[in-house]
Amino acid sequence: MLQQISESELVLMKIIWKNEGTALYSQIIEQLEQDNALWKKNTVLTLLSRLIEKNYLKIRKIGRRNEYIALVKEEEYQTTQTHSFLTKVFGGNVKNLVSTLLQQDILSAEELREVEEYWAEISQSSGREPK
């Protein structure tokens, strides 16, 4: 099971994932600046160290530079977080989640139709029956 990461750690992971799973420290800083996230060098280094400790990243030395390599794929993180959220908030009940999304106008009727079509497609390709 993946450890929880902070919002700030997630910002750094998204930069690395966006860069195909690897990024030099300088690339991370450059992206933060482009996103107007003016973090201090020590803050970034501390967050990267925490991600290494949590086994989200490993570091590779390239001369005097550090390359950060994702050990966790973005899809794996999303899946874990989705299951965690569903369990914590909805007791694992997907119907209640979808009902809330519809009732609060977070999920439109059109988006629901798209989800239903998607489910029908993957059910057909995998041989599973849609529920």
Side-chain angles (χ1 to χ4, degrees), residues 91-106:
N93 188 318
V94 175
K95 181 181 172 192
N96 287 348
L97 168 63
V98 173
S99 174
T100 299
L101 293 173
L102 289 168
Q103 289 171 6
Q104 300 298 318
D105 291 325
I106 297 168

Side-chain angles (χ1 to χ4, degrees), residues 20-111:
E20 300 182 12
T22 65
L24 295 170
Y25 174 79
S26 59
Q27 293 171 309
I28 295 168
I29 294 298
E30 183 179 306
Q31 185 61 54
L32 287 169
E33 289 171 357
Q34 286 177 12
D35 297 342
N36 293 317
L38 305 175
W39 295 358
K40 292 189 165 111
K41 178 181 180 177
N42 284 344
T43 300
V44 176
L45 291 172
T46 297
L47 293 170
L48 289 168
S49 293
R50 287 182 189 162
L51 287 165
I52 291 167
E53 289 171 15
K54 293 177 181 180
N55 293 317
Y56 276 80
L57 295 176
K58 70 178 180 178
I59 193 169
R60 179 171 48 201
K61 295 276 187 193
I62 302 175
R64 301 181 76 200
R65 301 182 308 166
N66 290 334
E67 180 180 43
Y68 295 91
I69 302 164
L71 296 174
V72 175
K73 292 188 181 331
E74 187 172 19
E75 298 80 16
E76 181 183 358
Y77 176 77
Q78 290 170 338
T79 299
T80 300
Q81 291 305 303
T82 301
H83 283 287
S84 175
F85 173 78
L86 185 62
T87 301
K88 280 188 226 175
V89 178
F90 293 97
N93 188 318
V94 175
K95 181 181 172 192
N96 287 348
L97 168 63
V98 173
S99 174
T100 299
L101 293 173
L102 289 168
Q103 289 171 6
Q104 300 298 318
D105 291 325
I106 297 168
L107 181 69
S108 70
E110 177 59 30
E111 289 170 321

